Amino acid sequence: MMSRSLCFLFMSLGAGLHLKPVLSGPRLAYRGSQVQFECKVPDWLSPLTFELWKDTEGLIATEHNINVTFDLQVTEGSEGEYSCRVTNGGLSSNTIPFQTVNPHPPLLYEGQKLVLRCEVRKGTHLSFSWFHNQQQVNPSSGLYRINADTLTVDSAGERHAGIYSCMAENQVTVNPRFSSSPNIQVIVKKHISQLSASLWVWWDGAALQANISCAVASGSPPLLFTLLLDGRQLEQKHVDALSSSFSVPILMGQDLGSARCRAQTDTRTLLSDPVHLHVVPVGGAVHVMLTYLHDVNAMTEAALLKCVPERGTFPQFSWSVNHSSLPAGGDAHAVSDRGQILILTDINSGYYRCCVRDSFNESSVWLESAEVFVQRTDPALPSMEVIALVFCGFLSMVIVGGSIFMFWNIERKNHTCKQHSNQCVQTDRVIVNAPAADVSPEPQTLEMKAVIMEFEA
């Protein structure tokens, strides 16, 4: 048993020695940029250790995976022929001759520093003028710093892009001379931002395909997009655009994991939020949730119906009223959220029903909900005659009740005075002899104490 295992191990290692990888990557790049070389063995599904080699330097880098990517910062010394191979004496891949060039026109990203210098071969007592898009640069504008023959932008933006030139002039009073430089174009690129990933599925006639779309909200192309599945690199695309898409075969109900998009430029790398590659077919019970919308006067303004299937990742919805199909839009209704929500702006009583199926399979069966009865439910408001009658009756009751109370109070006081005459007189005297309240029109003085608080700085 042990000898058989050793034999199998030896055969596996021996087979690895004859694996021939394939190297892919650019042949030309600007100095100061970043490029990538990808090395992989076709149809090989197990991780391997790959080496990147350069003809003049030997081994440069080592990576371990099923297929690997080597990042290279481009300098003048990056020129040469590159190849890759599997460790332990594996076969060498194809070679890629790589050359570098200076960026022309000058290329920089937002926020980087720009320095332009006006070089003069001969001349003394010189003064310099700078022009941007044929307009003379004003040093007091704050957009530039000019020091003799040098123009500096500390943090470049899109407004700094364009055509620049300089003019040198001697300051002698007799026969002054000047000379203008050739035009030079400066390109200012935007950094990429807000990378997003979206998923939709479609049926190609034979199998179900998942389409993952990667897009950045802003930036300047070209971009390198990479599709990652649970952290493992699946595919890469160089595009001269701000978006790209990838297609992955998928099985209904099978959980393939989480997919992410990665976007790269010379200066920035972004990673999107994960997208779950798990497609569940529409199934189970279908329900309709009904909500009436009222205004401030409790009047019914609209009705909102939401179709809720028990399960389904990519459902398609359809509505009907009184067993007749309801179009997607009309004068009295509208749909939203890909048809899941139906809004009735002019409510006509009727029986509403929703149907749902898989959006990617036109042959799938529609599942129906139970019918829901919708009707206008405005509260019954009283007429003006009823309101007036109720108010008059209430007012009459207040008048009669008040009269009875006043008559009862007077009778009670007279009866009490007859029994206790001395006390009543004494009470009257106390009231008469009581000191008068101060009703002087002069305002009274209110004393307030001012509190001054000092705070130590």
Side-chain angles (χ1 to χ4, degrees):
M1 182 69 177
M2 182 178 296
S3 61
R4 182 178 300 177
S5 300
L6 291 175
C7 181
F8 176 77
L9 177 61
F10 176 78
M11 292 176 61
S12 299
L13 291 176
L17 296 178
H18 299 287
L19 296 175
K20 184 176 177 62
V22 176
L23 181 66
S24 59
R27 296 175 180 268
L28 183 68
Y30 289 124
R31 295 169 190 169
S33 64
Q34 189 178 49
V35 296
Q36 292 183 329
F37 290 95
E38 183 181 4
C39 186
K40 64 180 179 179
V41 176
D43 301 325
W44 188 264
L45 301 179
S46 299
L48 296 170
T49 301
F50 294 90
E51 301 172 345
L52 181 64
W53 289 75
K54 185 184 175 186
D55 57 348
T56 59
E57 298 181 19
L59 180 61
I60 296 178
T62 303
E63 294 286 346
H64 182 79
N65 209 329
I66 298 178
N67 55 304
V68 299
T69 300
F70 297 99
D71 296 321
L72 179 65
Q73 189 69 33
V74 180
T75 64
E76 187 176 357
S78 300
E79 293 187 346
E81 292 189 351
Y82 290 84
S83 63
C84 70
R85 67 186 183 189
V86 181
T87 56
N88 300 324
L91 299 177
S92 295
S93 70
N94 57 298
T95 60
I96 295 180
F98 183 70
Q99 294 181 336
T100 65
V101 293
N102 283 321
H104 184 76
L107 175 65
L108 66 156
Y109 281 86
E110 288 181 324
Q112 290 184 322
K113 187 175 183 179
L114 171 65
V115 179
L116 298 176
R117 183 171 290 105
C118 191
E119 295 183 353
V120 180
R121 293 182 180 179
K122 61 180 180 179
T124 58
H125 303 90
L126 300 176
S127 65
F128 298 89
S129 299
W130 287 91
F131 298 87
H132 179 209
N133 294 332
Q134 300 180 350
Q135 298 293 324
Q136 186 170 357
V137 173
N138 183 7
S140 62
S141 65
L143 299 177
Y144 312 90
R145 287 192 297 110
I146 297 179
N147 183 14
D149 62 345
T150 304
L151 181 144
T152 303
V153 176
D154 294 317
S155 180
E158 282 189 305
R159 57 187 174 181
H160 295 108
I163 305 297
Y164 286 84
S165 65
C166 68
M167 183 178 69
E169 181 180 3
N170 62 18
Q171 297 178 342
V172 297
T173 57
V174 180
N175 296 327
R177 296 182 179 182
F178 64 90
S179 177
S180 297
S181 71
N183 292 335
I184 182 172
Q185 182 182 6
V186 174
I187 297 177
V188 181
K189 301 180 71 173
K190 282 186 175 182
H191 288 293
I192 56 174
S193 63
Q194 299 181 9
L195 174 62
S196 61
S198 58
L199 169 68
W200 61 278
V201 296
W202 56 283
W203 184 264
D204 64 358
L208 193 62
Q209 300 288 332
N211 185 282
I212 299 98
S213 178
C214 309
V216 295
S218 62
S220 298
L223 277 75
L224 173 64
F225 285 102
T226 304
L227 177 64
L228 305 172
L229 183 59
D230 290 334
R232 180 169 54 92
Q233 179 177 310
L234 290 186
E235 189 178 353
Q236 283 188 328
K237 289 184 179 180
H238 289 269
V239 296
D240 192 21
L242 299 181
S243 62
S244 185
S245 60
F246 302 89
S247 183
V248 178
I250 191 171
L251 295 178
M252 184 76 72
Q254 182 180 6
D255 191 347
L256 296 184
S258 296
R260 287 176 179 261
C261 294
R262 185 176 66 196
Q264 294 173 275
T265 62
D266 298 337
T267 61
R268 185 165 293 184
T269 299
L270 299 179
L271 194 65
S272 73
D273 291 333
V275 175
H276 199 193
L277 295 185
H278 187 202
V279 179
V280 177
V282 170
V286 182
H287 303 280
V288 175
M289 300 175 61
L290 172 61
T291 303
Y292 290 100
L293 306 178
H294 302 88
D295 61 11
V296 294
N297 298 319
M299 298 292 292
T300 303
E301 287 292 329
L304 186 147
L305 295 88
K306 183 176 182 180
C307 187
V308 183
E310 186 174 329
R311 60 180 179 270
T313 308
F314 295 97
Q316 178 183 353
F317 300 94
S318 176
W319 292 90
S320 63
V321 54
N322 297 329
H323 306 286
S324 298
S325 178
L326 199 63
D331 297 335
H333 71 277
V335 294
S336 65
D337 199 9
R338 295 177 299 177
Q340 185 177 10
I341 296 177
L342 173 64
I343 302 174
L344 303 178
T345 55
D346 186 9
I347 300 177
N348 294 318
S349 299
Y351 292 90
Y352 289 80
R353 182 198 304 271
C354 80
C355 303
V356 60
R357 72 175 183 183
D358 292 319
S359 61
F360 50 83
N361 186 3
E362 294 184 355
S363 61
S364 58
V365 179
W366 289 97
L367 301 181
E368 295 184 346
S369 70
E371 289 184 335
V372 175
F373 183 64
V374 179
Q375 63 178 346
R376 182 174 291 276
T377 57
D378 293 335
L381 298 178
S383 62
M384 293 300 298
E385 292 80 1
V386 174
I387 295 176
L389 182 61
V390 172
F391 178 76
C392 292
F394 175 75
L395 184 61
S396 300
M397 292 176 60
V398 171
I399 294 174
V400 173
S403 302
I404 295 175
F405 176 77
M406 291 179 62
F407 177 78
W408 175 79
N409 192 33
I410 294 174
E411 289 295 326
R412 179 175 175 275
K413 186 175 181 180
N414 293 335
H415 179 71
T416 304
C417 289
K418 290 179 181 180
Q419 296 179 354
H420 308 284
S421 58
N422 293 332
Q423 293 182 5
C424 290
V425 172
Q426 184 178 2
T427 302
D428 292 340
R429 290 176 180 174
V430 170
I431 295 175
V432 172
N433 296 330
D438 187 6
V439 293
S440 173
E442 294 293 329
Q444 299 184 13
T445 302
L446 177 63
E447 296 185 1
M448 298 183 63
K449 293 183 180 180
V451 179
I452 301 176
M453 303 181 65
E454 297 182 357
F455 294 89
E456 184 178 352

